[in-house]
Amino acid sequence: MGRGGRGDSLEEDPMGDKPFLTDIKTLRERARNHIMQGAVTPGYKADVTTVVRILNEALATEIICVLRYKRHYFMASGIQSSGVAAEFLEHATDEQGHADQIAQRIVQLGGEPNFSPEGLQTRSHAEYVEGETLEEMIKEDLIAERIAIDSYAEMIRFLGHDDPTTTRMLEGILAVEEEHADDLVNLLEGLGR
Ligand SMILES: [Fe+2]
Ligand SMILES: [Fe+2]
């Protein structure tokens, strides 16, 4: 062992005197002292109240999307629609999964997921539009997906590196919303539009 105990592993640190990692003892003490705060440790860099608020908006968006896709699934009828209906149902299931992931993360952050029907449409970024024809339904779903894509991208930019777990979750969801948008474009093309 050389000089300075735990400093040994840091000798290659180009920044010199400042340890890159908090030492294990301090980490463990902090964890013990703040044990009731769950996943939010003093190392958490984001403003947790704001993160919970934007996650609740995302939750509302996902719930609205589940409801819209379910409506479209049950209303899709006609020769051309069986593949389309199956796609609507698949998307509804995906959006439900996203809602669950987001609600779970809100709880991990010490917040409460807002499932209240009151104000649901106002909290949601995307709209609930029923649409008359199959084509209208697909177009409304595409609009909603594009809104979701923009708002998830914005949330990811907002969080930056301050909450990597939430960022990773949002990136996973964003990738699926992009697939959904792509599916809907293909469905529209399939209808000859
Ligand atoms: Fe979603
Ligand atoms: Fe989606």
Side-chain angles (χ1 to χ4, degrees):
M1 291 293 280
R3 65 204 153 74
R6 71 181 165 89
D8 280 351
S9 57
L10 303 166
E11 280 181 357
E12 286 169 20
D13 179 5
M15 301 304 288
D17 48 358
K18 193 166 164 235
F20 177 65
L21 291 170
T22 308
D23 67 277
I24 291 171
K25 186 165 166 281
T26 308
L27 283 178
R28 286 181 181 162
E29 274 169 11
R30 272 195 212 162
R32 275 183 195 286
N33 292 339
H34 301 278
I35 202 157
M36 292 311 287
Q37 289 172 12
V40 181
T41 64
Y44 186 81
K45 296 278 195 300
D47 170 16
V48 74
T49 311
T50 308
V51 175
V52 167
R53 184 178 55 77
I54 63 173
L55 287 179
N56 264 319
E57 288 173 13
L59 176 61
T61 304
E62 294 292 350
I63 296 168
I64 288 288
C65 289
V66 173
L67 296 173
R68 198 192 54 254
Y69 273 123
K70 283 280 185 163
R71 155 84 185 192
H72 291 176
Y73 165 65
F74 286 109
M75 288 300 286
S77 59
I79 301 164
Q80 274 184 304
S81 69
S82 68
V84 180
E87 202 77 55
F88 287 159
L89 182 60
E90 201 182 299
H91 287 198
T93 308
D94 288 342
E95 312 302 14
Q96 182 63 64
H98 296 162
D100 293 346
Q101 274 181 273
I102 293 165
Q104 183 67 62
R105 184 61 185 154
I106 290 171
V107 172
Q108 280 177 352
L109 291 172
E112 293 180 11
N114 188 350
F115 280 94
S116 172
E118 203 163 275
L120 184 62
Q121 291 222 60
T122 318
R123 292 195 302 281
S124 167
H125 299 140
E127 289 174 295
Y128 178 90
V129 183
E130 294 179 340
E132 293 286 320
T133 64
L134 205 55
E135 186 187 348
E136 275 176 27
M137 293 180 208
I138 299 170
K139 281 185 175 166
E140 286 304 331
D141 291 332
L142 182 54
I143 291 167
E145 293 292 355
R146 290 177 64 92
I147 291 169
I149 289 167
D150 274 348
S151 58
Y152 280 121
E154 201 178 312
M155 285 180 219
I156 291 164
R157 277 195 298 276
F158 168 78
L159 284 174
H161 300 291
D162 291 347
D163 179 344
T165 307
T166 301
T167 299
R168 233 175 4 255
M169 176 190 77
L170 296 175
E171 283 169 347
I173 294 175
L174 173 61
V176 176
E177 309 304 8
E178 287 176 354
E179 279 171 30
H180 287 171
D182 199 42
D183 292 342
L184 293 164
V185 169
N186 290 335
L187 288 179
L188 273 182
E189 284 171 0
L191 290 181
R193 305 298 194 272

